[in-house]
Amino acid sequence: MGIGEIDGWSAAPLDSAGDGFRLAQLVTKEVRKHGRHLLGDQLLETLAEIQHRRGNRDPFLHAFLDAILARHQDRFRNQTYLALPLLDQVLADPRSGLDPERLSALLIADIVAHESQPSSAGRTDPETRRKRITHAKRLLTALGSADITDLPLPPRTAAGAWLPLTVLPVSLVHDEYFFIRALQTHELVFRTLTADVQAATHALRAGQVDAATAALLRADKVFQRAAMLFRIVATMRADQFHDFRQFTEGASAIQSESYKRFEVCCGEPKPSRIRSEAFTNVPAVQAGAHRQDNVARAFLDLHRQGRIDDSAGTRLRFAIDQLEASHQRWKITHYRLAARMLGNAHGSGYTAGVPYLEQCLRNRLFTTAAGT
Ligand code: HEM
């Protein structure tokens, strides 16, 4: 198989039909056999050559190779670890008809399917896997998959076929597979949250306070899914985590743009936070943070203009408080999980680790609104 066929691919003329999907399947097979970080230099060089020659002719293959070659090319980060550009290609395909919610359901269903395979148990005991499957099925129900005996499957489209190729573990540790799917789902959850919070700001700018309140309450419900994700991740043992963490150095959710976009759409973070590693790790969000309209500012403006009556204002404040409290709970759960998994070790995003997260507990989302 494999390497020989990949070599042949590199020699193929540029204008040949070049089945990028077939190539990616072959590479994925190698990844699942050895782990992404134990792929041989010769293979990586060949793939880099293919990437260079073909450019962005096939956006799926391009995004796939972007992930595979990230460490080799010294740009391994959260988004290449999680193959987010490839996931985005699948999400953007109009024929597949996916949105962040439906894609999340597919990723969680994949966790259930993976954990249900008897052959891939590794060192994870049956009780842990049962618990993991139970939590994943609860999240599936929350995502609207009523019939969880029939797990949702990827759409039967060319883009849908790439979905199984979006898990590219760095190791052979069983638990890394579900961990990647959980973090990918987290990215999608925060995109949904951002859309809801932006809808609230637009509604406030249009003077539609009750519509804004409804959007924030919707966001608060979505937040419960983020909490459910932690329950799934919490089934992992610290020693299993450390088995693959040694290869994930440099990739951290501190680089997650979707989390920080959610944050700046709620209120304007303090200047000290904007200057800190929380935002230097997401330069695109950092650069636009001051220009970004947000719920807190829109609420304050409406209040100053006397365009908000008491009862609508009270309902809006309630929704804001709910979301703030859910986010605080989310941070506390994350902090505790990290403390159990990491102890005194630094974070893979090069912060001090648990002390950094403890400091983050003091931050609030809706700082401007609190003053109204
Ligand atoms: C084994 C589990 C986990 C550990 C040990 C862990 C640890 C950490 C650490 C130490 C940081 C600080 C940045 C760094 O130096 O890397 C961080 C940041 C972050 N983590 Fe996790 N994490 C875990 C799981 C998760 C999960 C499952 C999610 C999402 C559902 C998540 C979301 C985030 C986010 C959004 C940040 C950025 C926080 C900020 O900058 O304010 N983490 N994590």
Side-chain angles (χ1 to χ4, degrees), residues 179 182-183 185-187 190 226-227 229-230 233-234 236 241-242 244-245 251-256 259-260 263 273 276-279 281 327 330-331 334 337-342 345-357 360 363:
F179 183 71
L183 288 179
T185 310
H186 153 259
E187 290 290 317
F190 275 92
L229 271 178
F230 276 139
V233 176
M236 186 165 53
F241 174 60
H242 284 279
F244 65 84
R245 185 180 186 266
S252 161
I254 201 169
Q255 298 148 354
S256 162
Y259 177 69
K260 297 293 166 21
E263 190 174 338
R273 176 148 169 93
S276 76
E277 59 258 80
F279 277 85
N281 270 294
H327 181 239
W330 182 89
K331 284 193 293 180
H334 177 241
L337 178 71
R340 174 161 77 78
M341 296 285 181
L342 275 188
H346 68 83
S348 53
Y350 307 116
T351 71
V354 176
Y356 167 81
L357 296 175
C360 290
N363 302 330

Side-chain angles (χ1 to χ4, degrees), residues 8-9 20 41 51 56 64 104 116 126 162 182 199-200 210 217 226 267 292 296 302:
W9 219 91
D41 281 346
Q51 185 197 41
N56 201 13
F64 176 82
S104 296
S116 306
W162 279 86
D210 283 341
L217 290 175
Q292 176 67 51
L302 216 56

Side-chain angles (χ1 to χ4, degrees), residues 24-33 64 164-165 167-168:
Q25 273 185 317
L26 293 173
V27 176
T28 304
K29 234 178 176 177
E30 290 298 303
V31 169
R32 300 279 167 80
K33 227 192 298 171
F64 176 82
L165 279 51
V167 189
L168 300 167

Side-chain angles (χ1 to χ4, degrees), residues 213-282:
T213 302
L216 291 177
L217 290 175
R218 213 163 51 229
D220 187 49
K221 267 194 149 169
V222 173
F223 229 105
Q224 288 162 18
R225 286 183 217 153
M228 291 169 104
L229 271 178
F230 276 139
R231 270 177 229 131
I232 302 177
V233 176
T235 59
M236 186 165 53
R237 285 201 328 248
D239 60 329
Q240 297 256 349
F241 174 60
H242 284 279
D243 278 355
F244 65 84
R245 185 180 186 266
Q246 53 179 316
F247 304 114
T248 63
E249 195 72 4
S252 161
I254 201 169
Q255 298 148 354
S256 162
E257 289 200 353
S258 50
Y259 177 69
K260 297 293 166 21
R261 283 193 204 287
F262 162 70
E263 190 174 338
V264 297
C265 285
C266 291
E268 200 168 313
K270 284 189 193 148
S272 57
R273 176 148 169 93
I274 296 277
R275 285 193 304 269
S276 76
E277 59 258 80
F279 277 85
T280 52
N281 270 294
V282 285

Side-chain angles (χ1 to χ4, degrees), residues 37-308:
H37 288 334
L38 289 176
L39 293 179
D41 281 346
Q42 201 194 329
L43 172 62
L44 291 169
E45 290 298 333
T46 305
L47 294 175
E49 166 67 18
I50 292 171
Q51 185 197 41
H52 178 70
R53 288 180 70 228
R54 299 203 65 92
N56 201 13
R57 276 185 170 75
D58 175 348
F60 286 86
L61 179 62
H62 185 73
F64 176 82
L65 291 177
D66 176 67
I68 291 289
L69 292 165
R71 178 73 81 194
H72 183 63
Q73 296 173 341
D74 211 13
R75 46 178 186 75
F76 185 70
R77 290 168 59 77
N78 190 52
Q79 69 161 18
T80 47
Y81 177 44
L82 301 180
L84 295 180
L86 182 56
L87 213 54
D88 277 339
Q89 289 292 334
V90 178
L91 185 59
D93 173 55
R95 283 192 56 227
S96 302
L98 292 172
D99 57 24
E101 303 271 289
R102 271 183 237 160
L103 182 53
S104 296
L106 292 176
L107 302 183
I108 299 300
D110 191 37
I111 293 182
V112 176
H114 187 254
E115 294 298 324
S116 306
Q117 284 169 18
S119 57
S120 68
R123 288 198 291 124
T124 309
D125 61 275
E127 176 55 20
T128 302
R129 293 166 78 211
R130 194 196 54 73
K131 220 190 266 175
R132 192 170 290 161
I133 291 171
T134 304
H135 287 308
K137 283 187 171 174
R138 280 196 193 127
L139 180 49
L140 265 184
T141 309
L143 282 161
S145 281
D147 183 4
I148 48 174
T149 44
D150 262 341
L151 293 174
L153 293 171
R156 289 169 189 242
T157 56
W162 279 86
L163 202 56
L165 279 51
T166 56
V167 189
L168 300 167
V170 293
S171 73
L172 294 181
V173 179
H174 171 83
D175 281 9
E176 193 193 349
Y177 190 102
F178 98 90
F179 183 71
I180 289 176
R181 284 304 195 208
L183 288 179
Q184 289 171 334
T185 310
H186 153 259
E187 290 290 317
L188 296 170
V189 166
F190 275 92
R191 284 190 204 177
T192 306
L193 280 168
T194 303
D196 283 338
V197 172
Q198 279 175 336
T201 304
H202 293 148
L204 286 177
R205 290 297 178 203
Q208 295 163 358
V209 181
D210 283 341
T213 302
L216 291 177
L217 290 175
R218 213 163 51 229
D220 187 49
K221 267 194 149 169
V222 173
F223 229 105
Q224 288 162 18
R225 286 183 217 153
M228 291 169 104
L229 271 178
F230 276 139
R231 270 177 229 131
I232 302 177
V233 176
T235 59
M236 186 165 53
R237 285 201 328 248
D239 60 329
Q240 297 256 349
F241 174 60
H242 284 279
D243 278 355
F244 65 84
R245 185 180 186 266
Q246 53 179 316
F247 304 114
T248 63
E249 195 72 4
S252 161
I254 201 169
Q255 298 148 354
S256 162
E257 289 200 353
S258 50
Y259 177 69
K260 297 293 166 21
R261 283 193 204 287
F262 162 70
E263 190 174 338
V264 297
C265 285
C266 291
E268 200 168 313
K270 284 189 193 148
S272 57
R273 176 148 169 93
I274 296 277
R275 285 193 304 269
S276 76
E277 59 258 80
F279 277 85
T280 52
N281 270 294
V282 285
V285 188
Q286 186 187 37
H290 296 294
R291 289 191 303 276
Q292 176 67 51
D293 199 4
N294 58 58
V295 168
R297 199 183 302 152
F299 183 21
L300 190 61
D301 287 348
L302 216 56
H303 188 72
R304 282 192 187 129
Q305 295 155 4
R307 290 171 60 210
I308 183 161

